[in-house]
Amino acid sequence: MLTTIVFDADETLIDLRPAVTGGLVAVLEEMRQLTPAAADVSLADLEADWAVVFGESPAAPIIEIRRAALTRSLSRAGLDAHLDAIAALFFARRFALTRPFPDVQPALALLRDRWTLGFATNGNSRTERCGLAGEFAFELYAHENGVPKKPAPEFYAAVVDAAGVPASRVVYVGDSLDHDVVAAQRAGLRAVWLNRLALPCPAGVFPDGQVSTMAELPSLLADLAGESSPDRSRVS
């Protein structure tokens, strides 16, 4: 019997890209105010710096990755000494712009009548800073209390522990096939792919269900709850 629905944060519930882009634009504007040497630094450069650092250390805390990426960006214009102020500027702007997708809160309100709802993320999108305070029975953040990032099985063990029910009663919902579907299923959870971008599902990956919007989730979960056992070949 399914009892608990746990959600990924960024790009599942939270429309992260506009917020991050807004934060980087604020950084770039400040860099150009500080020195003419920043005139040749572009938004694409700042995005590339993140990609490099993330590629080198994907398991590191997100805040550390962002600070290291900003360090690379500031070095492009000789502004290394401004890291703390620039990082504070980025995070202030990023969180000021962070919002849930429009379909999120109506769906959560419907789901809460039937299920226990949880929130578990690799990132630093804390509910109280992202318009989702009070929506969940429990919250779990990687790199707190020794919890590693997805796709580590220990992350999902912590999710199950927080849920307080067997893994078979938990459904994890997220946008990443590797982190949110395959890893969750390996840990014994059910997994629903929230595929907002209408991407093709690769061969050999079998979400327990697939939706394109949160509005579709209540009916899909009702269907899953009626199944006696998981069917990995089913993609709704």
Side-chain angles (χ1 to χ4, degrees):
M1 179 178 72
L2 301 178
T3 62
T4 307
I5 316 303
V6 184
F7 293 90
D8 169 58
D10 298 334
E11 306 303 346
T12 297
L13 301 182
I14 295 166
D15 190 6
L16 183 65
R17 175 48 50 193
V20 169
T21 299
L24 292 178
V25 168
V27 166
L28 190 58
E29 290 174 349
E30 182 66 13
M31 289 174 64
R32 290 172 176 171
Q33 288 289 325
L34 289 170
T35 176
D40 294 331
V41 180
S42 69
L43 181 62
D45 291 329
L46 272 60
E47 292 171 339
D49 290 335
W50 164 269
V52 168
V53 175
F54 184 84
E56 292 173 346
S57 305
I62 293 296
I63 290 177
E64 292 182 8
I65 295 173
R66 178 58 67 189
R67 284 181 61 88
L70 290 172
T71 296
R72 288 178 60 93
S73 300
L74 293 171
S75 294
R76 294 175 179 272
L79 294 172
D80 307 68
H82 294 266
L83 175 61
D84 288 343
I86 291 292
L89 173 66
F90 170 82
F91 285 114
R93 188 63 176 154
R94 177 260 205 249
F95 283 111
L97 295 172
T98 302
R99 300 288 186 274
F101 286 102
D103 59 2
V104 168
Q105 284 160 313
L108 294 179
L110 290 173
L111 293 168
R112 194 177 298 107
D113 288 339
R114 181 171 181 181
W115 316 98
T116 299
L117 303 185
F119 180 90
T121 177
N122 276 355
N124 59 351
S125 291
R126 303 192 69 89
T127 59
E128 68 272 15
R129 301 192 72 180
C130 301
L132 292 173
E135 296 280 1
F136 304 98
F138 63 89
E139 301 173 19
L140 185 146
Y141 299 89
H143 296 292
E144 290 188 4
N145 301 314
V147 177
K149 292 169 76 171
K150 296 177 285 184
E154 294 86 357
F155 178 93
Y156 286 102
V159 168
V160 171
D161 185 61
V165 297
S168 60
R169 296 188 180 185
V170 181
V171 178
Y172 194 79
V173 180
D175 68 297
S176 168
L177 283 172
D178 290 339
H179 287 185
D180 303 330
V181 173
V182 174
Q185 289 176 336
R186 285 176 178 165
L189 292 73
R190 308 292 283 279
V192 170
W193 185 26
L194 180 52
N195 183 13
R196 293 185 180 278
L197 301 179
L199 300 173
C201 189
V205 178
F206 304 106
D208 291 287
Q210 179 182 155
V211 293
S212 59
T213 72
M214 284 283 290
E216 299 169 11
L217 193 56
S219 61
L220 173 62
L221 292 171
D223 289 344
L224 288 180
E227 296 175 6
S228 59
S229 61
D231 177 359
R232 296 306 189 203
S233 66
R234 181 181 184 277
V235 179
S236 299

